[in-house]
Amino acid sequence: MPSTITVRPRPLPTSLARCLTALVVAGVLTGCGTPLASPGAGADVHHASTRVGPAAPGGSTSPTPGAASTPSLTPAQVQEATAALATLPVKGRAPKTGYSRAAFGIAWTDDVDVALGHNGCDTRNDVLRRDLTAVVLKPGTHGCVVLAGVLADPYTARAIAFARGRSTSSRVQIDHVVALGDAWVKGAQQLTAVQRQALANDPLNLLAVDGPTNSAKRDADAASWLPPNKAYRCAYVARQVAVKKRYHLWVTAAERAQVARILAGCAH
């Protein structure tokens, strides 16, 4: 693997960075718009996989009533995301030969030079503390380990109660917005091991989400999977573009067309 590539996190445009930060503020499911109403933690959660073609998204879910009416990005933020998309190289997928989770380093390591790195807490708990509300922390862990909380899930527009435990923790999973398998076939093979570990632990690329929905996504890119919550799709693809720009990854022609189509329909 080439060792001369230097990936330095690129500062995002101020307004887009502000919006992407707002996406993970508890209770805000549509980015920089109005917070969505969510049912109580005991509400039934509908798990759905939305596999789509490059032309039109398919599948559906049962989001909170009224959830899809608020745009997720302002016109300026859409313009910035569209401009960033235009800078990404368009290529076919590289062979997946040699891919493994281990190629991206130790899972959830704190030993990374990204936001929240080197803070004494593993990445998974960092993201849970960031994305959940009503957080209960485990005593004696220096405010690190999350025992319980409530997730306003951006992928399904549902409120999900999280409880740490062998049979319950998987209900809330940490998604790599740009899946590691997708990153591997679109440029990550050319990064150093340190850079890949940063990509896997960068908070920009991580969201706490509904576990079954995350499992359904697998390594799909935007051309073949989008969040069931249509109100979140603009913010979702904008975040993917930001991650791919930061780590010098590329997109396929179908992926680029899908992201461009979604962004063209945002902020209306």
Side-chain angles (χ1 to χ4, degrees), residues 163-254:
R164 184 179 180 87
R166 182 171 300 176
S167 62
T168 57
S169 289
S170 62
R171 193 176 184 201
V172 171
Q173 297 178 11
I174 308 303
D175 181 39
H176 289 96
V177 179
V178 172
L180 300 186
D182 181 54
W184 181 258
V185 298
K186 296 174 184 173
Q189 295 181 43
Q190 301 173 21
L191 303 180
T192 67
V194 171
Q195 292 159 357
R196 287 195 296 270
Q197 187 161 272
L199 167 62
N201 291 276
D202 191 334
L204 179 65
N205 194 31
L206 300 173
L207 286 175
V209 299
D210 172 62
T213 302
N214 181 47
S215 296
K217 172 186 171 181
R218 300 176 66 86
D219 288 334
D221 61 18
S224 53
W225 190 92
L226 292 169
N229 177 22
K230 293 181 179 180
Y232 191 73
R233 290 178 179 177
C234 292
Y236 177 78
V237 299
R239 185 179 285 268
Q240 284 196 330
V241 168
V243 171
K244 292 201 167 186
K245 181 174 181 179
R246 175 172 288 184
Y247 289 93
H248 302 274
L249 306 178
W250 67 74
V251 292
T252 63

Side-chain angles (χ1 to χ4, degrees), residues 13 18 28 38 54 85 101 123 133 203 209:
R18 185 181 300 116
V28 180
S38 297
L85 175 64
R101 177 60 180 84
T123 305
T133 58
V209 299

Side-chain angles (χ1 to χ4, degrees), residues 103-195:
F104 290 84
I106 300 171
W108 310 133
T109 179
D110 185 44
D111 187 20
V112 282
D113 294 324
V114 297
L116 304 180
H118 305 293
N119 68 352
C121 186
D122 64 276
T123 305
R124 175 176 166 78
N125 278 293
D126 279 337
V127 177
L128 289 174
R129 291 197 318 277
R130 183 195 68 181
D131 292 359
L132 272 57
T133 58
V135 171
V136 177
L137 298 174
K138 183 178 181 179
T141 63
H142 303 285
C144 175
V145 177
V146 177
L147 292 178
V150 178
L151 172 68
D153 177 42
Y155 287 2
T156 64
R158 297 289 185 177
I160 302 173
F162 169 78
R164 184 179 180 87
R166 182 171 300 176
S167 62
T168 57
S169 289
S170 62
R171 193 176 184 201
V172 171
Q173 297 178 11
I174 308 303
D175 181 39
H176 289 96
V177 179
V178 172
L180 300 186
D182 181 54
W184 181 258
V185 298
K186 296 174 184 173
Q189 295 181 43
Q190 301 173 21
L191 303 180
T192 67
V194 171
Q195 292 159 357

